[in-house]
Amino acid sequence: MRVTDTLATAVEGPDTPAGAIVSVAWRVEGAGHVVGGLLPRGHPDGGTLGKRILRGERIWAAEMLPWEQEISPESSLVEPGPPGSPARIVVHGPSGDIVGYLDQPRLPAARLRRLTTGLRRDARQVRIRAGGRVWWVRASHVFGVRVMCESSGLVYATRGLHAEFEPAADSLDMSVVLLTLASIPSSAYAPILGF
């Protein structure tokens, strides 16, 4: 499956709640049109802090709720924290909600984070746990991304200007990966220069 990334700022996507701010739109082979966006604080469906959302034609709807962090048009991304303060993911599967968590388990203690995070490449790995699976989002080359699932291996990778899901990727893999990539800043998983 190939992913084509395009920007959309005020476009309503499939099953996107009215008033949602769409920040990214993909055309995914095998899944159709998929959008990622936000429901800011104050939106009727956004909750007390707001949340990031994923919607698509043939993909499971999903949302990411930050940990003690307000989602707004000005600050729309979720900064993943250590295991003690993970962001929460909810994937709305056909047989019920699948709840998961997103964190960076190798982040140093809060008082040392500013001094050391940028120096440790392993701190740039983002962990996602949902539905009995564990995924790792890692930097690849300069601006690339690789997502590995502990149970099935490589799920998603960027190759040049293209991004591809592996043939074995299912709806849960796609929902979790696209929600994560649309919700967190690239600096959380990829150094700005080098590597």
Side-chain angles (χ1 to χ4, degrees):
M1 296 177 194
R2 289 188 182 164
V3 179
T4 303
D5 187 6
T6 59
L7 289 178
T9 53
V11 178
E12 294 296 328
D15 300 322
T16 304
I21 301 170
V22 177
S23 55
V24 65
W26 295 279
R27 174 65 63 180
V28 183
E29 288 184 15
H33 187 64
V34 180
V35 297
L38 66 135
L39 304 178
R41 178 180 178 180
H43 187 282
D45 299 322
T48 57
L49 295 174
K51 61 186 171 184
R52 298 285 309 193
I53 61 169
L54 182 78
R55 296 292 187 271
E57 294 172 4
R58 292 184 297 278
I59 199 168
W60 294 348
E63 57 195 40
M64 183 181 295
L65 296 88
W67 174 267
E68 297 181 351
Q69 174 188 345
E70 184 177 332
I71 297 290
S72 68
E74 295 76 29
S75 179
S76 66
L77 298 177
V78 177
E79 293 279 357
S85 56
R88 188 161 62 98
I89 293 176
V90 181
V91 178
H92 303 292
S95 55
D97 288 350
I98 302 167
V99 178
Y101 299 93
L102 180 140
D103 59 23
Q104 286 187 281
R106 293 180 179 87
L107 281 179
R111 62 186 178 85
L112 299 174
R113 188 175 306 147
R114 281 189 173 168
L115 298 173
T116 60
T117 302
L119 303 176
R120 295 181 49 191
R121 188 176 183 195
D122 63 348
R124 300 297 189 176
Q125 298 178 17
V126 175
R127 178 178 64 177
I128 310 156
R129 294 165 289 158
R133 302 183 201 175
V134 178
W135 296 265
W136 290 93
V137 181
R138 296 182 170 111
S140 171
H141 304 295
V142 179
F143 296 108
V145 181
R146 290 173 60 87
V147 181
M148 304 287 291
C149 183
E150 288 186 352
S151 61
S152 60
L154 183 66
V155 172
Y156 171 92
T158 56
R159 295 176 178 90
L161 298 176
H162 298 284
E164 293 184 2
F165 280 95
E166 294 299 309
D170 61 16
S171 295
L172 181 58
D173 291 317
M174 292 171 54
S175 297
V176 165
V177 169
L178 293 178
L179 175 68
T180 300
L181 296 180
S183 300
I184 65 174
S186 62
S187 59
Y189 55 81
I192 300 303
L193 295 172
F195 299 101

